Amino acid sequence: MSRYEAYKPSGIDWIGNVPEHWETVRIKNVASIVNGSTPSSSVEEYWDGDIIWATPGDFNKYEKIIDDSESKITEAGYKSCGTSLVPVGSVVITTRAPIGNVLIAGKELCTNQGCKTLVPNRIESRFLYYIISISSIELNVLGQGTTFLELSKESLGTFKLPLPDFEDQLAIANYLDHQTQKIDCLIANKKAQAEKLKELRQIEINNAVTKGLNPNAEMKDSGIEWLGKIPKHWDTKRIKQVANIETGNTPPMSDPENYSEEGLLWIKPDNLNDFEPLTESAEYLSEKGAKLARIVRRGAILVCCIGTVGKIGVAGKVLSTNQQINSIEFFNSIISDQYGKYLLYSMDKVHNYFSNKVVVAILNKINQGNIKLPIPPKKEQIEIANYLHQRTTAIDQLIKNIEAQIEKLQELRKIKIYEAVTGKIKVNRYE
């Protein structure tokens, strides 16, 4: 690609120089900004309509165009809270938890207060979308708040953009549609490969911990619905018969002296990461806080039992957890920790089945303790665990390689967008 003949300073640090004939404008000068809002949840007539009501959670489901939402509202719903429908082609941006995710409205819609909508008037929708898509860092700098960052309408309105004439905007948008489509296709293929490997990983673990490694082993009915047949020489027991189960707790957060920048690890569900031993955390308990916590030994298996029920982690050192996590400390004379972690990993759906589902899934330690497990002889447990360590390590490395390739493709995508929307390359109008 060629460059423009002459450049000038844009006055925008992260943009640098722009073509001499381009403008620098604020968003409020090229688009109307519409705040989102939420109808009263207690008024039934406001909900279950056919009008898209987008929230930040909907953004993960779409690549570029949003044309549906998990929740929908009625005409009375959006009118009740003083918001308005925005037209097709509007640019919708998350401005709270997180700031900077962006999509284009494929249908008329409205949003909740976690989003704002830019209705273009002298800027091409896709050109605006592409600029916003690479501006999340800069937009987050403008966020305000202590509990969470939020980007106000005023701050968003003052955000500066480079602006070529409309014909150049259109040419750049068309060029980027073509370029990003190719990259997005490659990324989608890579993600599909990673998902297949994750499925293979799950199958390998499930088969090994429930059927063993000998394909010719004589089988028997386990008497457990979710388990089916198991090797004839295996036993079955309830979790409470082979392990201690303890629910974590949260020392009073009203006393800041319970927490510190170092000390006893305090693990929450977001920290759980399958088989990588947990040796660090985002939060720690002080010596005072540790006296109020439930201590978990190194090697114990941690199972999320509220929300994402069944998600697991492994204690890489002595630690504590919050009340969303149950720690499983196996009696090593019956079940080894190494076999136990693979066994519990394979049981996420089982754990979820035994949970009480009201607003969120909750699995208490009594129900968890009554879940039955397959118990192979100790020697066989070690063989299974060693086999699975080799297999999962190999599969995880393949997944990491693919994820690294995806990151490089995503970075390439950003570079192509940045070069085009800032004028670092010249896009001819009739390419």
Side-chain angles (χ1 to χ4, degrees), residues 129-144:
Y129 160 81
Y130 283 120
I131 293 179
I132 297 295
S133 74
I134 58 168
S135 304
S136 61
I137 294 175
E138 291 71 28
L139 289 169
N140 271 273
V141 170
L142 299 177
Q144 297 176 323

Side-chain angles (χ1 to χ4, degrees), residues 35-38 52-54 83 92 109-113 115-117:
N35 284 327
S37 189
T38 300
I52 295 171
W53 182 68
T83 188
V92 187
L109 57 78
C110 54
T111 76
N112 79 343
Q113 60 272 27
C115 307
K116 289 179 174 58
T117 306

Side-chain angles (χ1 to χ4, degrees), residues 33 35 95-96 99 116 139 142-144 149-159:
I33 304 175
N35 284 327
T95 51
R96 177 198 296 180
I99 293 173
K116 289 179 174 58
L139 289 169
L142 299 177
Q144 297 176 323
L149 287 179
E150 182 167 12
L151 183 62
S152 69
K153 181 177 181 179
E154 291 71 25
S155 295
L156 179 58
T158 60
F159 191 71

